[in-house]
Amino acid sequence: MMPFIRVMENGDIEKLGVMLDAFLLEGDPDEQYELADMLTEYGFVQEALKLLEHLNFIFPEEDQLKIDQAQLYLELNKEDDALEMLSNIEKKSESYPQALLTLADYYQMIGLYEVAEHKINEAIAILPKEPLLQYAKGELLFETGRYLEAARLMEELLASQNELQGVNLPLKVAEIYSAGAAYEEAIPYYTDALKKEAAPEVLFQAAYAFFQARQYETAAKHLNHLLEIDPDFFSGYMLLAETYAMLEKNEEALEAITNGIARDEFEKEYYLFAGKISLKLGRVKEAESFLQQAIALDPEYMDAIYILSSLFSQEEMDEELIELYEALKQEQFEWSSMYPLLAEAYERLEMYEKAYEFYKLAYTEHKEDVAFLEKYLYFLLEEGKREEAKEIISKLQKLQPENSEWFDMME
């Protein structure tokens, strides 16, 4: 088979065709069948089909060949040919359950899940102890969101074996439970799966389950192991930072996310998280820098804009807040949630006309916000705009009828 392998690896289709024609005439049927499997594996489906058509002609009674050929027809989107070939396999044939399973795979692929389940159940009725059929049904239940049924079926399989055709069954059960948000149930299976192989993806999935189950120390342990063996597993940095934050280890959280930034400097969520953690640590300038970088990556990143705006407002960094607004405006982005903050900033800067402009703009969307209305009211009173102030007092009376201050003020 080596000459065929070399030609396939070189991608020489013309030479492969010549060799194949000669092999059809001279080759042993067993070797031809082996080559068909190899051609399929390398992606030469048409050539593999040619061999199987030849073998089917020689051995028309071999139903396994019909199934193999039907599977290639499905890969080539020749569904009608595949279905016709599978329908020719009689119920008394030993290959009939496999034909049913192939049909189930096809119906599952096109979204006809009830038909697919019916075919699998028919096959299971013939071979009730066949693990592959039980696994196929479990996968179908998993895909259709019937997580508890799927998990129980896979657990039955797991009672007799840990692996099925290369599938790590504990990991499969863990994934099913996680998909159904049953993280506590998933954890023991992730632990078993990791005993076989601590692959990066499995470590991440396990860590996520531990995180969701609030077992943060174990989640952090798995994530640190993950990033040791694969420093470019970018999702691990964010989850590790979040884990440390839940443990109130904010210094470690900041270190984890800055390590992530060093690996992927274009991930805006890293900068946002770093900004939040810096604020928790009281590092205002660092927080500002991280948030500015997040906005630089995405000028319409609302979460970062809101936190940075709030930071500027809280710290009374009024000129910086106005500068941020003007920069966003140049990017054709304007966000009404900034208006109350801008109104207060202009008021503190004694730019009362601009403050009035933004108070009016903010009022449109903040008519039910008592805290905003109160600030707006006292601004209007300071500016001598008594008629407008009356409107705001009326609003406050409706929102807080138990507060006598507003009624006294109106009188």
Side-chain angles (χ1 to χ4, degrees), residues 37-55:
D37 187 53
M38 192 180 297
L39 286 163
T40 304
E41 188 179 330
Y42 274 83
F44 293 93
V45 179
Q46 290 282 9
E47 290 74 11
L49 184 59
K50 191 174 182 180
L51 274 170
L52 287 176
E53 286 172 342
H54 166 73
L55 290 169

Side-chain angles (χ1 to χ4, degrees), residues 4 17 30 48 77 88 99 109 123 139 146 164 187 189 195 217 279 290 314 316 319 342 347 400:
F4 280 102
D30 288 336
N77 297 319
N88 289 330
M109 181 181 67
E139 281 283 20
R146 293 154 68 182
L164 183 64
I187 281 172
Y189 294 103
K195 288 175 184 174
E217 293 285 1
L279 282 176
F290 285 127
Q314 189 174 351
E316 296 191 5
E319 291 177 356
L342 288 161
E347 186 179 359
Q400 291 186 327

Side-chain angles (χ1 to χ4, degrees), residues 21 32 110 130 142 147 159 163 177 179-180 189 273 306 324 354 356 366 371 410:
D21 287 341
Q32 290 174 345
I110 63 173
E130 174 52 54
F142 180 24
Y147 301 120
E163 188 174 306
Y177 274 127
Y189 294 103
F273 190 89
Y306 179 75
L324 172 63
K354 292 292 290 184
Y356 179 50
H366 295 80
M410 183 66 85

Side-chain angles (χ1 to χ4, degrees), residues 115-174:
V115 180
E117 188 173 354
H118 174 74
K119 296 295 181 186
I120 293 174
N121 287 338
E122 188 181 347
I124 289 173
I126 299 168
L127 296 173
K129 301 296 184 183
E130 174 52 54
L132 286 174
L133 295 176
Q134 291 180 325
Y135 180 82
K137 184 170 182 179
E139 281 283 20
L140 175 62
L141 294 170
F142 180 24
E143 187 174 334
T144 53
R146 293 154 68 182
Y147 301 120
L148 187 58
E149 292 176 73
R152 286 175 177 168
L153 198 55
M154 293 297 187
E155 283 172 331
E156 287 178 22
L157 281 173
L158 189 53
S160 60
Q161 56 202 316
N162 261 36
E163 188 174 306
L164 183 64
Q165 288 199 329
V167 175
N168 184 330
L169 288 177
L171 178 58
K172 177 58 68 175
V173 176

Side-chain angles (χ1 to χ4, degrees), residues 201-310:
E201 186 61 42
V202 182
L203 281 165
F204 182 79
Q205 290 174 16
Y208 185 76
F210 279 105
F211 179 88
Q212 292 295 336
R214 300 183 182 181
Q215 297 185 36
Y216 301 119
E217 293 285 1
T218 309
K221 183 185 79 172
H222 286 320
L223 289 164
N224 279 310
H225 184 194
L226 158 64
L227 293 171
E228 280 175 20
I229 61 177
D230 186 1
D232 289 328
F233 200 104
F234 298 136
S235 302
Y237 293 101
M238 176 61 83
L239 187 56
L240 180 58
E242 290 174 338
T243 303
Y244 281 135
M246 295 304 294
L247 290 165
E248 296 188 5
K249 295 182 177 180
N250 293 325
E251 290 284 0
E252 289 88 339
L254 184 58
E255 182 183 356
I257 204 64
T258 50
N259 287 339
I261 289 170
R263 287 282 171 178
D264 183 4
E265 59 186 16
F266 298 107
E267 179 50 70
K268 65 182 183 180
E269 290 185 8
Y270 288 179
Y271 292 103
L272 176 64
F273 190 89
K276 290 178 179 178
I277 288 294
S278 296
L279 282 176
K280 278 190 175 183
L281 291 166
R283 300 175 186 173
V284 174
K285 281 297 178 187
E286 279 186 47
E288 179 189 346
S289 175
F290 285 127
L291 294 166
Q292 290 279 23
Q293 289 176 82
I295 295 166
L297 288 169
D298 180 1
E300 297 183 10
Y301 194 11
M302 289 188 175
D303 289 344
I305 293 166
Y306 179 75
I307 294 172
L308 184 57
S309 301
S310 300

